[in-house]
Amino acid sequence: GQNIDQPTEMTATEGAIVQINCTYQTSGFNGLFWYQQHAGEAPTFLSYNVLDGLEEKGRFSSFLSRSKGYSYLLLKELQMKDSASYLCAPNSGNTPLVFGKGTRLSVIA
Amino acid sequence: DVKVTQSSRYLVKRTGEKVFLECVQDMDHENMFWYRQDPGLGLRLIYFSYDVKMKEKGDIPEGYSVSREKKERFSLILESASTNQTSMYLCASSPAGQSYGYTFGSGTRLTVV
């Protein structure tokens, strides 16, 4: 089975930096996905980390430590439109993705 | 632009009705999935399919069935709708192989009254 843990809610100020953590335990591991989901909409792909380290993509970066079962999503220069839920999903290999319950981020002025 | 299309955005059905939720993808993906999403519970897998006419139970298949007669279409069936099946239903697809993310449909919000 899988165990995925993310904070339920976070609040941050426009223009700031926020880090959303995800810890996981899986029986196999190929990589980890991050998805963004705005309220009432479908999840959309943000990133996929396979190797340890930080991968940067514009204002969003994602970090992975395979040995620690830990990942984080880093959002810089926060904008109001970044208010959404962020879901992490470890890819355990031969089974469908299991998603974390998501972290609801509120960006305030 | 690649797409996963769910036939209805909102549905209201009565208890005991048979309900069909349709999902079509135009990306020639092998894999298709049905999840439901509820507050506090996240996304939970109902059924999935890795090929035409193939189906596998997910974590919460009770009260549901699926059909995949064509590669591009994956239907979720509620045999006899109940109020505890009121939820957001999300269909997703992906290419074969495990390193590809899922593309989700826009979801169907089903209310059973």
Side-chain angles (χ1 to χ4, degrees), chain A residues 21-74:
Chain A
N21 295 325
C22 171
T23 59
Y24 60 89
Q25 293 173 313
T26 62
S27 53
F29 184 79
N30 290 345
L32 187 136
F33 290 97
W34 281 97
Y35 280 79
Q36 180 190 58
Q37 185 178 25
H38 285 101
E41 298 183 13
T44 55
F45 171 85
L46 283 178
S47 64
Y48 182 54
N49 290 64
V50 175
L51 302 176
D52 284 357
L54 186 70
E55 292 195 10
E56 299 187 57
K57 197 186 293 185
R59 293 189 300 114
F60 290 16
S61 303
S62 53
F63 172 85
L64 177 66
S65 169
R66 296 173 69 116
S67 62
K68 295 182 179 178
Y70 169 65
S71 175
Y72 67 74
L73 185 67
L74 192 70

Coordinates of all heavy atoms in Angstrom, one line a residue, chain A residues 21-74:
Chain A
N21 N 5.0 20.6 1.2 CA 5.7 19.4 1.4 C 4.8 18.2 1.2 O 3.6 18.2 1.4 CB 6.2 19.3 2.9 CG 7.2 20.4 3.2 OD1 8.0 20.7 2.3 ND2 7.2 20.9 4.4
C22 N 5.5 17.1 0.8 CA 4.8 15.8 0.6 C 5.7 14.7 1.1 O 6.9 14.6 0.6 CB 4.4 15.6 -0.8 SG 3.8 14.0 -1.3
T23 N 5.3 13.9 2.0 CA 6.0 12.7 2.4 C 5.2 11.4 2.0 O 4.0 11.5 2.0 CB 6.3 12.6 3.9 OG1 5.1 12.7 4.6 CG2 7.2 13.8 4.3
Y24 N 6.0 10.4 1.6 CA 5.3 9.2 1.1 C 6.0 8.0 1.5 O 7.2 8.0 1.8 CB 5.2 9.3 -0.4 CG 6.5 9.4 -1.1 CD1 7.2 8.2 -1.5 CD2 7.1 10.6 -1.3 CE1 8.5 8.3 -2.1 CE2 8.4 10.7 -1.9 CZ 9.0 9.6 -2.3 OH 10.3 9.6 -2.9
Q25 N 5.3 6.9 1.5 CA 5.8 5.6 1.7 C 5.1 4.7 0.7 O 3.9 4.6 0.6 CB 5.5 5.0 3.1 CG 6.2 5.8 4.2 CD 5.8 5.3 5.6 OE1 4.6 5.2 5.8 NE2 6.7 5.0 6.5
T26 N 5.9 4.1 -0.2 CA 5.4 3.2 -1.3 C 6.2 1.9 -1.3 O 7.4 1.9 -0.9 CB 5.4 3.9 -2.6 OG1 6.8 4.2 -3.0 CG2 4.7 5.2 -2.6
S27 N 5.6 0.9 -1.9 CA 6.3 -0.4 -2.0 C 7.3 -0.4 -3.2 O 8.2 -1.2 -3.3 CB 5.3 -1.5 -2.2 OG 4.5 -1.3 -3.2
G28 N 7.1 0.5 -4.2 CA 8.0 0.7 -5.3 C 8.0 2.1 -5.6 O 7.1 2.9 -5.2
F29 N 9.0 2.6 -6.3 CA 9.0 4.0 -6.6 C 9.8 4.3 -7.9 O 10.9 3.9 -8.1 CB 9.7 4.8 -5.5 CG 9.7 6.3 -5.6 CD1 8.5 7.0 -5.3 CD2 10.8 7.0 -6.1 CE1 8.5 8.4 -5.5 CE2 10.8 8.3 -6.3 CZ 9.6 9.1 -6.0
N30 N 9.1 5.0 -8.8 CA 9.7 5.4 -10.1 C 9.9 7.0 -10.2 O 10.8 7.4 -10.9 CB 8.9 5.0 -11.3 CG 9.0 3.5 -11.5 OD1 9.8 2.8 -10.9 ND2 8.1 3.0 -12.2
G31 N 9.1 7.7 -9.5 CA 9.1 9.1 -9.5 C 7.9 9.7 -8.8 O 7.1 9.0 -8.3
L32 N 7.8 11.0 -8.8 CA 6.7 11.7 -8.1 C 6.1 12.8 -9.0 O 6.9 13.7 -9.5 CB 7.2 12.2 -6.8 CG 6.1 12.8 -5.9 CD1 6.2 12.3 -4.4 CD2 6.0 14.3 -5.9
F33 N 4.8 12.8 -9.1 CA 4.1 13.9 -9.8 C 3.5 14.9 -8.8 O 3.2 14.6 -7.7 CB 2.9 13.3 -10.5 CG 3.2 12.4 -11.7 CD1 3.2 11.0 -11.5 CD2 3.4 12.9 -12.9 CE1 3.5 10.1 -12.6 CE2 3.7 12.0 -14.0 CZ 3.8 10.7 -13.8
W34 N 3.5 16.1 -9.4 CA 2.7 17.2 -8.7 C 1.7 17.7 -9.7 O 2.0 17.9 -10.9 CB 3.6 18.4 -8.3 CG 4.4 18.2 -7.0 CD1 5.7 17.7 -6.9 CD2 3.9 18.4 -5.7 NE1 6.0 17.7 -5.6 CE2 5.0 18.0 -4.8 CE3 2.7 18.8 -5.1 CZ2 4.9 18.1 -3.4 CZ3 2.6 18.9 -3.8 CH2 3.7 18.6 -2.9
Y35 N 0.4 17.9 -9.2 CA -0.7 18.4 -10.0 C -1.2 19.7 -9.3 O -1.2 19.8 -8.0 CB -1.8 17.4 -10.1 CG -1.5 16.3 -11.2 CD1 -0.7 15.3 -10.9 CD2 -2.1 16.4 -12.4 CE1 -0.4 14.3 -11.9 CE2 -1.9 15.5 -13.4 CZ -1.0 14.5 -13.1 OH -0.8 13.5 -14.1
Q36 N -1.8 20.6 -10.1 CA -2.5 21.7 -9.5 C -4.0 21.5 -9.9 O -4.3 21.1 -11.0 CB -2.0 23.0 -10.2 CG -2.7 24.3 -9.8 CD -2.3 25.4 -10.6 OE1 -2.5 25.4 -11.8 NE2 -1.7 26.5 -10.0
Q37 N -4.8 21.9 -8.9 CA -6.3 21.8 -9.2 C -7.0 23.0 -8.6 O -7.1 23.2 -7.4 CB -6.9 20.5 -8.5 CG -8.3 20.3 -8.9 CD -8.9 19.0 -8.3 OE1 -8.4 18.5 -7.3 NE2 -10.0 18.5 -8.9
H38 N -7.5 23.8 -9.5 CA -8.3 25.0 -9.1 C -9.7 24.5 -8.8 O -10.2 23.4 -9.3 CB -8.4 26.0 -10.2 CG -7.2 26.8 -10.4 ND1 -6.2 26.6 -11.4 CD2 -6.7 27.9 -9.7 CE1 -5.2 27.4 -11.3 NE2 -5.5 28.2 -10.2
A39 N -10.4 25.2 -7.9 CA -11.7 24.8 -7.4 C -12.6 24.5 -8.5 O -12.8 25.3 -9.4 CB -12.2 25.9 -6.4
G40 N -13.3 23.3 -8.5 CA -14.2 23.0 -9.5 C -13.7 22.6 -10.8 O -14.4 22.3 -11.8
E41 N -12.4 22.5 -10.9 CA -11.8 22.1 -12.2 C -11.0 20.8 -12.0 O -10.8 20.3 -10.9 CB -10.9 23.2 -12.7 CG -11.6 24.5 -12.9 CD -10.7 25.6 -13.5 OE1 -9.5 25.3 -13.9 OE2 -11.1 26.8 -13.5
A42 N -10.5 20.3 -13.2 CA -9.7 19.1 -13.2 C -8.3 19.4 -12.8 O -7.7 20.5 -13.0 CB -9.7 18.5 -14.6
P43 N -7.6 18.4 -12.2 CA -6.1 18.5 -11.9 C -5.4 18.6 -13.2 O -5.7 18.0 -14.2 CB -5.8 17.2 -11.2 CG -7.1 16.6 -10.7 CD -8.1 17.1 -11.7
T44 N -4.3 19.5 -13.2 CA -3.4 19.6 -14.3 C -2.0 19.4 -13.9 O -1.6 19.7 -12.8 CB -3.6 21.0 -15.0 OG1 -3.3 22.0 -14.0 CG2 -4.9 21.2 -15.5
F45 N -1.2 18.8 -14.8 CA 0.1 18.4 -14.5 C 1.0 19.6 -14.3 O 1.0 20.6 -15.0 CB 0.6 17.6 -15.7 CG 2.1 17.3 -15.7 CD1 2.6 16.1 -15.0 CD2 3.0 18.1 -16.4 CE1 3.9 15.8 -15.0 CE2 4.4 17.8 -16.3 CZ 4.8 16.6 -15.7
L46 N 1.8 19.5 -13.2 CA 2.8 20.5 -13.0 C 4.3 20.0 -13.2 O 5.1 20.7 -13.9 CB 2.7 21.0 -11.5 CG 1.6 22.0 -11.2 CD1 1.7 22.3 -9.7 CD2 1.7 23.3 -12.0
S47 N 4.6 18.9 -12.6 CA 6.0 18.4 -12.7 C 6.0 16.9 -12.4 O 5.1 16.3 -11.8 CB 6.8 19.1 -11.6 OG 6.4 18.8 -10.3
Y48 N 7.2 16.3 -12.8 CA 7.4 14.9 -12.5 C 8.9 14.8 -12.2 O 9.8 15.1 -13.0 CB 7.1 14.0 -13.7 CG 7.3 12.6 -13.5 CD1 6.7 11.9 -12.4 CD2 8.0 11.8 -14.4 CE1 6.9 10.6 -12.2 CE2 8.2 10.4 -14.2 CZ 7.7 9.8 -13.1 OH 7.8 8.5 -12.9
N49 N 9.2 14.4 -11.0 CA 10.6 14.2 -10.5 C 11.0 12.8 -10.5 O 10.3 12.0 -9.9 CB 10.8 14.8 -9.2 CG 10.8 16.3 -9.2 OD1 9.7 16.9 -9.5 ND2 11.8 17.0 -8.8
V50 N 12.1 12.4 -11.1 CA 12.6 11.0 -11.1 C 13.9 11.0 -10.2 O 14.0 10.1 -9.4 CB 12.9 10.5 -12.5 CG1 13.5 9.1 -12.5 CG2 11.6 10.5 -13.3
L51 N 14.7 11.9 -10.4 CA 16.0 11.9 -9.7 C 16.0 12.9 -8.6 O 15.2 13.8 -8.5 CB 17.1 12.4 -10.7 CG 17.3 11.6 -12.0 CD1 18.3 12.2 -12.9 CD2 17.6 10.1 -11.6
D52 N 16.8 12.6 -7.6 CA 17.0 13.5 -6.5 C 17.4 14.9 -6.9 O 18.1 15.1 -7.9 CB 18.0 13.0 -5.5 CG 17.5 11.8 -4.7 OD1 16.4 11.4 -4.8 OD2 18.3 11.3 -3.9
G53 N 16.9 15.9 -6.2 CA 17.3 17.3 -6.4 C 16.2 18.2 -6.8 O 15.0 17.8 -6.8
L54 N 16.5 19.4 -7.2 CA 15.6 20.4 -7.5 C 15.4 20.6 -9.0 O 16.4 20.8 -9.6 CB 16.0 21.7 -6.8 CG 15.0 22.9 -6.9 CD1 13.8 22.7 -6.0 CD2 15.8 24.2 -6.4
E55 N 14.2 20.7 -9.4 CA 14.0 21.0 -10.8 C 13.1 22.2 -10.9 O 12.1 22.3 -10.3 CB 13.2 19.8 -11.5 CG 14.0 18.6 -11.7 CD 13.4 17.6 -12.7 OE1 12.5 17.9 -13.4 OE2 13.9 16.4 -12.7
E56 N 13.6 23.2 -11.7 CA 13.0 24.5 -11.7 C 12.3 24.7 -13.1 O 12.8 24.3 -14.1 CB 14.0 25.6 -11.5 CG 14.7 25.5 -10.2 CD 15.6 26.7 -9.9 OE1 15.1 27.9 -9.9 OE2 16.8 26.5 -9.7
K57 N 11.1 25.2 -12.9 CA 10.3 25.5 -14.1 C 9.5 26.8 -13.9 O 8.4 26.8 -13.4 CB 9.3 24.3 -14.3 CG 8.7 24.3 -15.7 CD 7.6 23.2 -15.8 CE 8.1 21.8 -15.7 NZ 7.0 20.8 -15.9
G58 N 10.2 27.9 -14.3 CA 9.6 29.2 -14.1 C 9.4 29.5 -12.6 O 10.4 29.4 -11.8
R59 N 8.3 29.9 -12.2 CA 8.0 30.3 -10.8 C 7.9 29.0 -9.9 O 7.9 29.2 -8.7 CB 6.8 31.1 -10.7 CG 6.9 32.5 -11.3 CD 5.7 33.4 -10.9 NE 4.4 32.8 -11.3 CZ 3.5 32.4 -10.5 NH1 3.6 32.4 -9.2 NH2 2.3 31.9 -11.0
F60 N 7.7 27.9 -10.5 CA 7.5 26.7 -9.8 C 8.7 25.8 -9.8 O 9.3 25.6 -10.9 CB 6.3 25.9 -10.3 CG 4.9 26.5 -10.1 CD1 4.8 27.8 -9.7 CD2 3.8 25.8 -10.3 CE1 3.6 28.4 -9.5 CE2 2.5 26.3 -10.1 CZ 2.4 27.7 -9.7
S61 N 9.1 25.2 -8.7 CA 10.2 24.2 -8.6 C 9.7 23.1 -7.8 O 8.9 23.2 -6.9 CB 11.4 24.9 -7.9 OG 11.8 26.0 -8.6
S62 N 10.3 21.9 -8.1 CA 9.9 20.7 -7.3 C 11.2 20.0 -7.0 O 12.1 19.9 -7.7 CB 9.0 19.8 -8.1 OG 9.5 19.5 -9.4
F63 N 11.2 19.5 -5.7 CA 12.4 18.8 -5.1 C 12.0 17.4 -4.8 O 10.9 17.1 -4.3 CB 12.8 19.6 -3.9 CG 13.9 18.9 -3.1 CD1 15.2 19.0 -3.5 CD2 13.6 18.1 -2.0 CE1 16.2 18.4 -2.8 CE2 14.5 17.4 -1.3 CZ 15.9 17.6 -1.7
L64 N 13.0 16.5 -4.9 CA 12.7 15.1 -4.5 C 14.0 14.6 -3.8 O 15.1 14.8 -4.2 CB 12.5 14.3 -5.8 CG 12.3 12.8 -5.5 CD1 11.1 12.5 -4.7 CD2 12.4 12.0 -6.8
S65 N 13.7 13.9 -2.7 CA 14.7 13.1 -2.0 C 14.1 11.6 -1.9 O 13.2 11.3 -1.1 CB 15.0 13.6 -0.6 OG 15.8 12.6 0.1
R66 N 14.6 10.8 -2.7 CA 14.1 9.4 -2.8 C 14.4 8.6 -1.5 O 13.6 7.9 -1.0 CB 14.8 8.6 -4.0 CG 14.4 9.2 -5.3 CD 15.1 8.6 -6.4 NE 14.7 7.2 -6.6 CZ 14.1 6.7 -7.7 NH1 13.9 7.5 -8.7 NH2 13.8 5.5 -7.8
S67 N 15.6 8.9 -0.9 CA 16.0 8.1 0.3 C 15.1 8.5 1.5 O 14.9 7.7 2.4 CB 17.5 8.4 0.6 OG 17.7 9.7 0.8
K68 N 14.7 9.8 1.5 CA 13.8 10.3 2.6 C 12.4 10.1 2.3 O 11.6 10.4 3.2 CB 14.2 11.7 2.9 CG 15.6 11.9 3.5 CD 15.9 13.3 3.8 CE 17.3 13.5 4.4 NZ 17.7 14.9 4.7
G69 N 12.0 9.7 1.1 CA 10.5 9.7 0.8 C 9.9 11.0 1.0 O 8.8 11.2 1.6
Y70 N 10.5 12.0 0.4 CA 10.1 13.4 0.6 C 10.2 14.2 -0.7 O 11.2 14.1 -1.4 CB 11.0 14.0 1.7 CG 11.0 15.5 1.9 CD1 9.8 16.1 2.4 CD2 12.1 16.3 1.6 CE1 9.8 17.4 2.6 CE2 12.0 17.7 1.8 CZ 10.9 18.2 2.3 OH 10.8 19.6 2.5
S71 N 9.2 15.1 -0.9 CA 9.2 16.0 -2.0 C 8.6 17.3 -1.5 O 7.9 17.4 -0.5 CB 8.4 15.4 -3.1 OG 8.3 16.3 -4.2
Y72 N 9.0 18.4 -2.2 CA 8.3 19.6 -2.0 C 8.1 20.4 -3.3 O 8.9 20.2 -4.2 CB 8.9 20.5 -0.9 CG 10.3 21.1 -1.2 CD1 10.4 22.1 -2.1 CD2 11.4 20.6 -0.6 CE1 11.7 22.7 -2.4 CE2 12.7 21.1 -0.8 CZ 12.8 22.1 -1.7 OH 14.0 22.7 -2.0
L73 N 7.1 21.2 -3.3 CA 6.8 22.1 -4.4 C 7.0 23.5 -3.9 O 6.5 23.9 -2.8 CB 5.3 21.9 -4.9 CG 4.9 22.7 -6.1 CD1 5.6 22.2 -7.3 CD2 3.3 22.6 -6.2
L74 N 7.8 24.3 -4.6 CA 8.2 25.6 -4.2 C 7.6 26.6 -5.2 O 7.8 26.5 -6.4 CB 9.7 25.8 -4.2 CG 10.3 27.0 -3.5 CD1 10.1 26.9 -2.0 CD2 11.8 27.1 -3.9

